[in-house]
Protein backbone atom coordinates (compact mmCIF):
# COMPACT_ATOMS: atom_id res chain seq x y z
CA UNK A 1 0.00 0.00 0.00
CA UNK A 2 1.17 3.51 -0.83
CA UNK A 3 0.27 6.36 1.51
CA UNK A 4 0.81 10.09 1.00
CA UNK A 5 0.90 12.68 3.80
CA UNK A 6 0.25 16.23 2.59
CA UNK A 7 1.08 19.49 4.37
CA UNK A 8 4.09 17.96 6.15
CA UNK A 9 6.06 20.57 8.13
CA UNK A 10 8.82 18.43 9.68
CA UNK A 11 11.48 20.01 7.45
CA UNK A 12 10.95 23.51 8.82
CA UNK A 13 13.16 25.16 11.40
CA UNK A 14 10.23 26.00 13.67
CA UNK A 15 10.32 23.72 16.73
CA UNK A 16 6.55 23.27 16.81
CA UNK A 17 6.30 22.35 13.12
CA UNK A 18 9.03 19.76 13.56
CA UNK A 19 7.61 18.29 16.76
CA UNK A 20 4.09 17.80 15.46
CA UNK A 21 4.89 16.55 11.94
CA UNK A 22 7.77 14.26 12.92
CA UNK A 23 5.61 12.94 15.75
CA UNK A 24 2.79 12.27 13.30
CA UNK A 25 4.99 10.29 10.90
CA UNK A 26 6.36 8.22 13.77
CA UNK A 27 2.81 7.59 14.98
CA UNK A 28 1.56 6.48 11.57
CA UNK A 29 4.54 4.21 10.94
CA UNK A 30 4.57 2.58 14.37
CA UNK A 31 0.87 2.42 15.19
CA UNK A 32 -1.24 2.60 12.04
CA UNK A 33 0.56 1.30 8.94
CA UNK A 34 1.87 -2.14 8.08
CA UNK A 35 5.60 -2.58 7.64
CA UNK A 36 5.35 -2.94 3.88
CA UNK A 37 3.49 0.38 3.51
CA UNK A 38 5.29 3.14 1.65
CA UNK A 39 4.76 6.56 3.24
CA UNK A 40 5.65 9.64 1.19
CA UNK A 41 5.44 13.15 2.61
CA UNK A 42 4.58 16.30 0.68
CA UNK A 43 5.69 19.50 2.36
CA UNK A 44 3.49 22.53 2.81
CA UNK A 45 5.35 24.72 0.30
CA UNK A 46 6.55 28.20 1.08
CA UNK A 47 4.37 30.90 -0.47
CA UNK A 48 5.32 31.71 -4.07
CA UNK A 49 4.28 34.34 -6.60
CA UNK A 50 2.29 31.60 -8.30
CA UNK A 51 -0.01 31.36 -5.28
CA UNK A 52 -0.72 35.08 -5.43
CA UNK A 53 -1.45 34.98 -9.15
CA UNK A 54 -3.59 31.85 -8.88
CA UNK A 55 -5.63 33.74 -6.32
CA UNK A 56 -5.82 36.88 -8.43
CA UNK A 57 -6.93 35.04 -11.58
CA UNK A 58 -8.91 32.10 -10.20
CA UNK A 59 -9.50 32.81 -6.51
CA UNK A 60 -13.25 33.39 -6.63
CA UNK A 61 -13.82 30.29 -8.72
CA UNK A 62 -11.58 28.18 -6.49
CA UNK A 63 -13.56 29.29 -3.48
CA UNK A 64 -16.77 28.30 -5.28
CA UNK A 65 -15.27 24.90 -6.14
CA UNK A 66 -14.24 24.28 -2.53
CA UNK A 67 -17.75 25.29 -1.46
CA UNK A 68 -19.42 22.70 -3.67
CA UNK A 69 -20.28 19.24 -2.38
CA UNK A 70 -20.44 18.07 -6.01
CA UNK A 71 -18.14 20.20 -8.17
CA UNK A 72 -18.52 19.89 -11.92
CA UNK A 73 -15.99 18.10 -14.13
CA UNK A 74 -14.95 21.46 -15.58
CA UNK A 75 -14.31 22.80 -12.09
CA UNK A 76 -12.23 19.74 -11.19
CA UNK A 77 -10.31 20.07 -14.47
CA UNK A 78 -9.28 23.61 -13.49
CA UNK A 79 -8.39 22.60 -9.94
CA UNK A 80 -6.35 19.66 -11.22
CA UNK A 81 -4.49 21.86 -13.70
CA UNK A 82 -3.60 24.49 -11.10
CA UNK A 83 -2.62 21.90 -8.49
CA UNK A 84 -0.38 20.02 -10.90
CA UNK A 85 1.26 23.31 -11.84
CA UNK A 86 1.86 24.20 -8.18
CA UNK A 87 3.04 20.81 -6.90
CA UNK A 88 4.96 19.41 -9.86
CA UNK A 89 6.16 15.85 -9.22
CA UNK A 90 4.38 15.79 -5.84
CA UNK A 91 1.07 15.91 -7.68
CA UNK A 92 1.77 12.40 -8.98
CA UNK A 93 2.85 11.19 -5.53
CA UNK A 94 -0.58 11.97 -4.13
CA UNK A 95 -2.55 10.92 -7.22
CA UNK A 96 -0.82 7.51 -7.20
CA UNK A 97 -1.30 6.88 -3.47
CA UNK A 98 -3.88 4.42 -2.17
CA UNK A 99 -4.67 6.53 0.91
CA UNK A 100 -4.09 10.24 1.58
CA UNK A 101 -3.49 11.75 4.99
CA UNK A 102 -3.99 15.52 5.19
CA UNK A 103 -2.28 17.19 8.15
CA UNK A 104 -4.06 20.49 8.63
CA UNK A 105 -1.93 21.47 11.67
CA UNK A 106 -2.42 25.18 12.41
CA UNK A 107 -2.94 26.28 8.82
CA UNK A 108 -6.71 25.70 8.63
CA UNK A 109 -8.02 29.18 9.26
CA UNK A 110 -6.49 31.92 7.07
CA UNK A 111 -9.01 32.83 4.41
CA UNK A 112 -6.45 33.10 1.60
CA UNK A 113 -6.02 29.32 1.59
CA UNK A 114 -9.59 29.08 0.30
CA UNK A 115 -8.62 30.91 -2.90
CA UNK A 116 -5.49 29.00 -3.97
CA UNK A 117 -4.37 25.36 -4.11
CA UNK A 118 -1.40 25.49 -1.74
CA UNK A 119 -3.18 23.83 1.20
CA UNK A 120 -6.42 22.22 0.02
CA UNK A 121 -5.76 21.44 -3.65
CA UNK A 122 -4.31 17.95 -3.19
CA UNK A 123 -6.66 16.55 -0.51
CA UNK A 124 -9.72 18.02 -2.26
CA UNK A 125 -8.78 16.36 -5.55
CA UNK A 126 -7.97 13.12 -3.76
CA UNK A 127 -11.45 12.95 -2.25
CA UNK A 128 -13.57 14.46 -5.05
CA UNK A 129 -11.88 13.49 -8.31
CA UNK A 130 -9.66 10.50 -7.51
CA UNK A 131 -12.13 9.02 -5.00
CA UNK A 132 -9.40 8.07 -2.54
CA UNK A 133 -9.82 7.67 1.21
CA UNK A 134 -8.70 10.94 2.83
CA UNK A 135 -8.02 11.10 6.55
CA UNK A 136 -7.62 14.63 7.88
CA UNK A 137 -5.79 14.83 11.19
CA UNK A 138 -3.42 16.61 13.59
CA UNK A 139 -5.12 19.96 13.11
CA UNK A 140 -6.99 22.91 14.50
CA UNK A 141 -10.05 23.93 12.48
CA UNK A 142 -10.96 27.62 12.63
CA UNK A 143 -12.75 30.14 10.41
CA UNK A 144 -12.64 33.92 10.70
CA UNK A 145 -16.29 34.35 9.70
CA UNK A 146 -19.43 32.46 8.78
CA UNK A 147 -18.67 32.51 5.07
CA UNK A 148 -15.26 30.86 5.50
CA UNK A 149 -16.83 28.40 7.89
CA UNK A 150 -19.28 27.19 5.24
CA UNK A 151 -16.45 26.65 2.75
CA UNK A 152 -14.45 24.65 5.28
CA UNK A 153 -17.50 22.56 6.13
CA UNK A 154 -17.84 21.66 2.47
CA UNK A 155 -14.16 20.73 2.14
CA UNK A 156 -14.03 18.56 5.25
CA UNK A 157 -17.36 16.88 4.54
CA UNK A 158 -15.66 15.08 1.65
CA UNK A 159 -13.04 13.42 3.86
CA UNK A 160 -13.56 9.97 5.37
CA UNK A 161 -12.35 10.95 8.82
CA UNK A 162 -11.65 14.31 10.47
CA UNK A 163 -9.51 14.30 13.61
CA UNK A 164 -8.93 17.61 15.37
CA UNK A 165 -6.09 17.98 17.84
CA UNK A 166 -7.69 19.95 20.66
CA UNK A 167 -11.03 20.46 22.36
CA UNK A 168 -12.03 23.88 21.02
CA UNK A 169 -11.82 22.64 17.44
CA UNK A 170 -13.94 19.63 18.39
CA UNK A 171 -16.77 21.97 19.39
CA UNK A 172 -16.25 24.19 16.36
CA UNK A 173 -16.20 21.30 13.88
CA UNK A 174 -19.24 19.71 15.53
CA UNK A 175 -21.15 22.94 14.96
CA UNK A 176 -19.99 22.84 11.31
CA UNK A 177 -21.96 19.61 10.88
CA UNK A 178 -19.05 17.15 10.80
CA UNK A 179 -20.16 14.96 13.74
CA UNK A 180 -20.59 11.79 11.68
CA UNK A 181 -16.85 11.71 10.86
CA UNK A 182 -15.35 13.80 13.64
CA UNK A 183 -13.05 12.74 16.50
CA UNK A 184 -10.54 14.45 18.76
CA UNK A 185 -7.02 13.03 18.82
CA UNK A 186 -4.50 15.14 20.77
CA UNK A 187 -1.58 16.75 18.95
CA UNK A 188 1.22 14.38 18.03
CA UNK A 189 3.69 16.71 19.72
CA UNK A 190 2.38 15.19 22.97
CA UNK A 191 3.47 11.74 21.91
CA UNK A 192 6.52 10.01 23.36
CA UNK A 193 8.50 13.23 23.54
CA UNK A 194 12.04 12.32 24.52
CA UNK A 195 14.12 15.28 25.70
CA UNK A 196 17.72 15.37 24.59
CA UNK A 197 20.28 14.20 27.15
CA UNK A 198 21.58 17.75 27.22
CA UNK A 199 21.48 20.95 25.21
CA UNK A 200 23.95 23.12 23.37
CA UNK A 201 23.17 26.39 25.15
CA UNK A 202 23.76 27.63 28.67
CA UNK A 203 20.82 28.14 30.99
CA UNK A 204 20.69 29.90 34.36
CA UNK A 205 22.26 28.16 37.35
CA UNK A 206 19.09 28.96 39.32
CA UNK A 207 15.40 28.19 38.92
CA UNK A 208 13.86 29.68 35.78
CA UNK A 209 10.71 29.94 33.67
CA UNK A 210 10.48 30.08 29.87
CA UNK A 211 8.96 32.91 27.82
CA UNK A 212 7.60 32.39 24.30
CA UNK A 213 6.04 34.69 21.75
CA UNK A 214 2.69 34.26 20.01
CA UNK A 215 1.42 33.72 16.49
CA UNK A 216 -0.75 36.80 17.18
CA UNK A 217 2.07 38.86 18.66
CA UNK A 218 1.53 41.78 16.29
CA UNK A 219 -2.12 41.99 17.38
CA UNK A 220 -1.27 42.03 21.10
CA UNK A 221 0.14 44.77 23.30
CA UNK A 222 3.84 43.93 23.36
CA UNK A 223 4.55 46.39 26.16
CA UNK A 224 2.01 44.70 28.42
CA UNK A 225 3.61 41.31 27.74
CA UNK A 226 7.02 42.69 28.70
CA UNK A 227 5.62 44.17 31.91
CA UNK A 228 3.92 40.86 32.72
CA UNK A 229 7.23 39.01 32.37
CA UNK A 230 8.91 41.51 34.63
CA UNK A 231 6.13 41.17 37.21
CA UNK A 232 6.27 37.37 37.11
CA UNK A 233 10.04 37.40 37.56
CA UNK A 234 9.77 39.83 40.47
CA UNK A 235 7.02 37.93 42.28
CA UNK A 236 8.48 34.44 41.82
CA UNK A 237 12.19 35.23 41.96
CA UNK A 238 12.68 33.05 38.88
CA UNK A 239 14.98 33.87 35.97
CA UNK A 240 13.19 34.30 32.61
CA UNK A 241 14.58 32.39 29.60
CA UNK A 242 13.30 33.43 26.15
CA UNK A 243 12.72 30.57 23.69
CA UNK A 244 11.86 31.41 20.09
CA UNK A 245 11.96 29.88 16.61
CA UNK A 246 10.03 32.57 14.74
CA UNK A 247 11.55 35.82 13.51
CA UNK A 248 8.83 38.08 14.92
CA UNK A 249 9.19 36.53 18.39
CA UNK A 250 12.94 37.07 18.35
CA UNK A 251 12.66 40.66 17.16
CA UNK A 252 10.18 41.59 19.89
CA UNK A 253 11.34 39.50 22.81
CA UNK A 254 15.10 39.89 22.40
CA UNK A 255 14.73 43.63 21.93
CA UNK A 256 12.30 44.43 24.72
CA UNK A 257 13.36 41.78 27.24
CA UNK A 258 17.13 42.16 26.87
CA UNK A 259 19.45 41.28 28.55
CA UNK A 260 17.52 38.13 29.46
CA UNK A 261 18.89 34.80 28.22
CA UNK A 262 17.53 33.99 24.75
CA UNK A 263 17.51 30.61 23.01
CA UNK A 264 16.57 30.36 19.33
CA UNK A 265 16.19 27.63 16.75
CA UNK A 266 19.21 28.98 14.89
CA UNK A 267 21.67 27.88 17.57
CA UNK A 268 19.54 24.96 18.74
CA UNK A 269 17.55 23.46 15.83
CA UNK A 270 16.77 20.10 17.47
CA UNK A 271 13.34 20.36 19.11
CA UNK A 272 14.36 17.60 21.53
CA UNK A 273 16.91 20.02 22.99
CA UNK A 274 14.15 22.58 23.47
CA UNK A 275 12.13 19.94 25.29
CA UNK A 276 15.00 19.41 27.75
CA UNK A 277 14.98 23.14 28.55
CA UNK A 278 11.20 23.20 28.93
CA UNK A 279 11.35 20.15 31.20
CA UNK A 280 13.63 22.00 33.61
CA UNK A 281 11.49 25.13 33.78
CA UNK A 282 9.03 25.81 36.59
CA UNK A 283 6.47 26.85 33.95
CA UNK A 284 6.21 28.28 30.44
CA UNK A 285 4.60 31.67 29.74
CA UNK A 286 3.38 32.78 26.31
CA UNK A 287 1.10 32.20 23.34
CA UNK A 288 2.97 29.59 21.29
CA UNK A 289 0.70 26.55 21.17
CA UNK A 290 3.32 23.96 20.33
CA UNK A 291 5.77 25.21 22.92
CA UNK A 292 2.97 24.82 25.47
CA UNK A 293 2.26 21.27 24.23
CA UNK A 294 5.95 20.36 24.40
CA UNK A 295 6.16 21.77 27.92
CA UNK A 296 3.09 19.85 29.06
CA UNK A 297 4.53 16.66 27.56
CA UNK A 298 7.20 16.98 30.28
CA UNK A 299 4.57 17.84 32.95
CA UNK A 300 5.76 21.47 32.94
CA UNK A 301 2.80 23.83 33.64
CA UNK A 302 1.84 26.68 31.31
CA UNK A 303 0.50 30.22 31.55
CA UNK A 304 -1.12 30.97 28.22
CA UNK A 305 -1.60 34.05 26.06
CA UNK A 306 -3.77 34.17 22.90
CA UNK A 307 -2.35 32.65 19.73
CA UNK A 308 -3.66 33.00 16.18
CA UNK A 309 -6.72 30.80 16.87
CA UNK A 310 -8.53 29.32 19.87
CA UNK A 311 -6.16 26.32 19.89
CA UNK A 312 -4.61 27.33 23.22
CA UNK A 313 -8.07 27.36 24.78
CA UNK A 314 -8.45 23.80 23.51
CA UNK A 315 -5.58 22.46 25.62
CA UNK A 316 -7.19 22.66 29.06
CA UNK A 317 -9.94 20.09 28.46
CA UNK A 318 -7.40 17.59 27.12
CA UNK A 319 -5.19 17.84 30.20
CA UNK A 320 -8.08 18.19 32.65
CA UNK A 321 -6.71 21.32 34.33
CA UNK A 322 -7.92 24.89 33.97
CA UNK A 323 -5.00 26.46 32.10
CA UNK A 324 -6.91 29.60 31.13
CA UNK A 325 -5.78 31.97 28.40
CA UNK A 326 -4.96 35.42 29.79
CA UNK A 327 -5.14 38.82 28.12
CA UNK A 328 -1.76 40.64 28.12
CA UNK A 329 -3.29 43.31 30.39
CA UNK A 330 -3.87 40.80 33.21
CA UNK A 331 -0.32 41.04 34.56
CA UNK A 332 -1.36 40.80 38.22
CA UNK A 333 -3.49 37.72 37.59
CA UNK A 334 -0.72 36.08 35.60
CA UNK A 335 1.82 36.85 38.33
CA UNK A 336 -0.53 35.29 40.89
CA UNK A 337 -0.93 32.19 38.71
CA UNK A 338 2.86 31.98 38.28
CA UNK A 339 3.46 32.14 42.01
CA UNK A 340 0.85 29.44 42.56
CA UNK A 341 2.50 27.16 39.99
CA UNK A 342 5.93 27.75 41.48
CA UNK A 343 4.67 26.80 44.94
CA UNK A 344 2.52 23.82 43.92
CA UNK A 345 4.96 22.26 41.44
CA UNK A 346 4.67 18.64 42.54
CA UNK A 347 0.89 18.73 42.82
CA UNK A 348 0.36 20.35 39.42
CA UNK A 349 2.89 18.13 37.66
CA UNK A 350 1.20 15.05 39.08
CA UNK A 351 -2.16 16.28 37.74
CA UNK A 352 -0.64 16.92 34.31
CA UNK A 353 0.80 13.39 34.33
CA UNK A 354 -2.74 12.03 34.79
CA UNK A 355 -3.86 14.08 31.78
CA UNK A 356 -0.95 12.78 29.70
CA UNK A 357 -1.98 9.20 30.38
CA UNK A 358 -5.48 10.02 29.17
CA UNK A 359 -4.00 11.64 26.04
CA UNK A 360 -1.91 8.51 25.37
CA UNK A 361 -5.04 6.39 25.65
CA UNK A 362 -6.86 8.67 23.18
CA UNK A 363 -4.02 8.38 20.69
CA UNK A 364 -4.03 4.59 21.07
CA UNK A 365 -7.78 4.50 20.39
CA UNK A 366 -7.30 6.73 17.37
CA UNK A 367 -4.66 4.36 15.99
CA UNK A 368 -7.19 1.54 16.28
CA UNK A 369 -9.75 3.64 14.41
CA UNK A 370 -7.30 4.44 11.62
CA UNK A 371 -6.29 0.79 11.25
CA UNK A 372 -9.97 -0.12 11.03
CA UNK A 373 -10.50 2.38 8.22
CA UNK A 374 -7.37 1.30 6.35
CA UNK A 375 -8.56 -2.30 6.50
CA UNK A 376 -11.65 -1.21 4.58
CA UNK A 377 -14.02 -1.07 7.50
CA UNK A 378 -16.81 1.46 7.95
CA UNK A 379 -15.81 4.19 10.38
CA UNK A 380 -18.34 4.54 13.17
CA UNK A 381 -16.92 7.29 15.36
CA UNK A 382 -19.61 6.75 18.01
CA UNK A 383 -17.86 3.51 18.99
CA UNK A 384 -14.87 5.52 20.25
CA UNK A 385 -16.21 7.57 23.17
CA UNK A 386 -12.72 8.62 24.33
CA UNK A 387 -12.31 10.47 21.03
CA UNK A 388 -15.54 12.43 21.45
CA UNK A 389 -14.85 14.33 24.68
CA UNK A 390 -17.15 16.49 26.74
CA UNK A 391 -15.78 20.02 26.34
CA UNK A 392 -16.15 22.98 28.69
CA UNK A 393 -14.20 25.59 26.69
CA UNK A 394 -14.58 28.48 29.09
CA UNK A 395 -14.30 32.11 27.91
CA UNK A 396 -15.20 30.94 24.43
CA UNK A 397 -15.60 34.23 22.59
CA UNK A 398 -13.22 36.38 24.60
CA UNK A 399 -10.51 36.71 21.93
CA UNK A 400 -12.63 36.30 18.81
CA UNK A 401 -11.67 39.73 17.46
CA UNK A 402 -7.95 38.92 17.69
CA UNK A 403 -8.34 35.57 15.95
CA UNK A 404 -10.50 37.07 13.21
CA UNK A 405 -7.97 39.83 12.50
CA UNK A 406 -5.12 37.35 12.16
CA UNK A 407 -7.00 34.96 9.87
CA UNK A 408 -9.25 37.22 7.80
CA UNK A 409 -8.77 37.00 4.05
CA UNK A 410 -6.44 39.71 2.78
CA UNK A 411 -7.13 40.84 -0.74
CA UNK A 412 -3.95 41.17 -2.75
CA UNK A 413 -4.05 43.90 -5.37
CA UNK A 414 -2.79 42.59 -8.72
CA UNK A 415 -3.06 44.53 -11.98
CA UNK A 416 -3.46 42.53 -15.20
CA UNK A 417 -3.23 39.25 -13.31
CA UNK A 418 -3.69 37.08 -16.38
CA UNK A 419 -0.76 38.72 -18.17
CA UNK A 420 1.38 38.47 -15.04
CA UNK A 421 0.57 34.76 -14.69
CA UNK A 422 1.45 34.14 -18.33
CA UNK A 423 4.80 35.93 -17.90
CA UNK A 424 5.57 33.91 -14.79
CA UNK A 425 4.87 30.66 -16.62
CA UNK A 426 7.22 31.68 -19.43
CA UNK A 427 10.10 32.57 -17.13
CA UNK A 428 13.05 30.19 -17.56
CA UNK A 429 13.31 29.33 -13.87
CA UNK A 430 9.56 28.91 -13.28
CA UNK A 431 9.59 25.19 -12.47
CA UNK A 432 12.84 25.41 -10.53
CA UNK A 433 11.59 28.30 -8.41
CA UNK A 434 8.32 26.54 -7.52
CA UNK A 435 10.17 23.31 -6.75
CA UNK A 436 12.45 25.19 -4.34
CA UNK A 437 9.43 26.10 -2.19
CA UNK A 438 9.34 22.48 -1.05
CA UNK A 439 12.97 22.48 0.07
CA UNK A 440 14.06 26.03 0.99
CA UNK A 441 11.86 26.05 4.07
CA UNK A 442 11.82 28.74 6.78
Amino acid sequence: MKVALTNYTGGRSNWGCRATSIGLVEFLQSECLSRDTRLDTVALPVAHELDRLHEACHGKRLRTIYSSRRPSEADLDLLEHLTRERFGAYFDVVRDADVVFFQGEGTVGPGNYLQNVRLFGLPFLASRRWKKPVISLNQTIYAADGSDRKVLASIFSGFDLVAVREAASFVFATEMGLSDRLVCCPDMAFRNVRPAAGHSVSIPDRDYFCVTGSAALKKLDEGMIVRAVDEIARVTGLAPVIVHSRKQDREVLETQLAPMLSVGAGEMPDHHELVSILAGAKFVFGGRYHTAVSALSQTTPVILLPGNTFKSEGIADLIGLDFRVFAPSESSAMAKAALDLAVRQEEVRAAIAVGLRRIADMQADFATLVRERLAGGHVDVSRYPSLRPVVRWTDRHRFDSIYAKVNRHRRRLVFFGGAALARLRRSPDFRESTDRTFFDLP
Side-chain angles (χ1 to χ4, degrees), residues 49-236:
E49 179 69 3
L50 182 62
D51 302 310
R52 188 172 72 95
L53 293 177
H54 275 175
E55 183 178 333
C57 297
H58 305 287
K60 291 183 179 180
R61 188 173 175 190
L62 286 173
R63 185 181 175 96
T64 300
I65 294 170
Y66 288 145
S67 300
S68 175
R69 305 293 173 109
R70 293 183 179 179
S72 69
E73 289 301 309
D75 285 339
L76 292 175
D77 286 343
L78 173 65
L79 181 64
E80 192 170 61
H81 169 71
L82 298 178
T83 305
R84 183 192 292 275
E85 179 174 59
R86 181 63 180 92
F87 283 85
Y90 292 110
F91 175 91
D92 296 320
V93 169
V94 177
R95 186 192 58 187
D96 295 342
D98 299 302
V99 177
V100 176
F101 287 93
F102 166 61
Q103 181 197 227
E105 207 195 311
T107 51
V108 181
N112 290 78
Y113 282 125
L114 301 176
Q115 298 203 37
N116 61 47
V117 300
R118 185 174 159 221
L119 181 67
F120 291 117
L122 286 172
F124 193 88
L125 283 170
S127 65
R128 295 330 199 270
R129 164 146 283 185
W130 305 327
K131 308 302 181 183
K132 298 180 185 293
V134 177
I135 298 174
S136 178
L137 75 178
N138 211 32
Q139 66 205 329
T140 286
I141 296 180
Y142 169 84
D145 56 41
S147 178
D148 285 0
R149 187 167 170 164
K150 290 179 181 178
V151 182
L152 288 177
S154 174
I155 292 172
F156 282 96
S157 69
F159 301 155
D160 292 58
L161 182 64
V162 178
V164 294
R165 63 185 180 176
E166 36 72 24
S169 286
F170 185 77
V171 173
F172 194 81
T174 297
E175 294 172 350
M176 286 168 58
L178 299 175
S179 294
D180 63 328
R181 66 203 66 210
L182 179 68
V183 295
C184 180
C185 176
D187 196 295
M188 290 301 156
F190 274 117
R191 185 176 179 271
N192 294 336
V193 181
R194 301 173 300 279
H199 34 75
S200 54
V201 298
S202 298
I203 58 174
D205 56 3
R206 63 190 181 95
D207 289 343
Y208 63 93
F209 69 101
C210 291
V211 181
T212 76
S214 167
L217 194 58
K218 293 181 179 179
K219 306 298 181 184
L220 303 177
D221 190 315
E222 299 166 1
M224 286 185 176
I225 295 174
V226 171
R227 289 192 290 275
V229 173
D230 288 339
E231 179 71 3
I232 290 170
R234 184 188 66 79
V235 168
T236 62

Side-chain angles (χ1 to χ4, degrees), residues 276-320:
S276 70
I277 292 177
L278 299 177
K282 292 297 183 183
F283 53 84
V284 172
F285 167 80
R288 283 291 176 190
Y289 167 82
H290 269 125
T291 309
V293 168
S294 293
L296 289 165
S297 76
Q298 306 303 303
T299 71
T300 299
V302 293
I303 299 173
L304 299 170
L305 291 172
N308 57 352
T309 68
F310 45 51
K311 56 194 173 186
S312 290
E313 284 93 319
I315 294 176
D317 285 323
L318 295 181
I319 294 293

Side-chain angles (χ1 to χ4, degrees), residues 422-431 433:
R423 284 196 303 272
L424 179 66
R425 287 168 170 162
R426 291 194 302 267
S427 62
D429 69 338
F430 171 63
R431 187 71 259 161
S433 70

Side-chain angles (χ1 to χ4, degrees), residues 219-271:
K219 306 298 181 184
L220 303 177
D221 190 315
E222 299 166 1
M224 286 185 176
I225 295 174
V226 171
R227 289 192 290 275
V229 173
D230 288 339
E231 179 71 3
I232 290 170
R234 184 188 66 79
V235 168
T236 62
L238 301 173
V241 175
I242 303 167
V243 292
H244 58 81
S245 59
R246 291 293 179 96
K247 180 180 178 182
Q248 68 173 14
D249 291 352
R250 184 189 72 246
E251 290 175 344
V252 172
L253 297 176
E254 282 191 344
T255 300
Q256 298 199 33
L257 292 175
M260 297 178 187
L261 177 64
S262 176
V263 178
E267 63 266 33
M268 197 180 70
D270 186 349
H271 65 278

